């Protein structure tokens, strides 16, 4: 599980739409455009080119740095 934050309202809205495309998995929405998601959600966000920042210490798919998406 990963804690992420969307940079603005537009990316948050796009992110929610991308997360809805992942069948059978739940995510947890938190205040300030933060969410707790799983690896499958991260892949959906990356596929849709949604901007987000990792806030958790561990990242998806063996990545070592906290990426900032354009």
């Amino acid at each position: 599980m990963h804690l992420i934050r969307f940079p603005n309202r537009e990316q948050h809205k796009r992110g929610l739409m991308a997360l809805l495309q992942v069948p059978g998995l739940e995510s947890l929405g938190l205040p300030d455009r933060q969410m707790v998601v799983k690896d499958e959600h991260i892949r959906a966000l990356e596929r849709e080119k949604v901007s987000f920042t990792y806030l958790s210490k561990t990242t998806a798919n063996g990545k070592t740095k906290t990426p900032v998406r354009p």
Side-chain angles (χ1 to χ4, degrees):
M1 300 193 95
H2 310 282
L3 177 62
I4 63 170
R5 178 185 294 142
F6 298 102
N8 55 47
R9 190 173 185 188
E10 177 188 339
Q11 293 301 306
H12 185 233
K13 188 185 295 186
R14 289 185 63 227
L16 291 175
M17 296 307 292
L19 295 178
L20 289 173
Q21 295 176 16
V22 180
L25 289 179
E26 295 182 9
S27 57
L28 174 64
L30 301 170
D32 195 31
R33 298 182 312 273
Q34 296 180 32
M35 295 195 82
V36 177
V37 297
K38 295 185 177 181
D39 286 342
E40 293 86 348
H41 294 123
I42 296 293
R43 287 191 286 275
L45 293 170
E46 290 173 340
R47 205 174 29 250
E48 296 297 321
K49 296 181 172 67
V50 176
S51 297
F52 67 92
T53 305
Y54 285 100
L55 300 178
S56 55
K57 292 182 181 182
T58 59
T59 60
N61 305 322
K63 295 179 183 173
T64 56
K65 296 177 79 176
T66 301
V68 176
R69 307 273 185 243

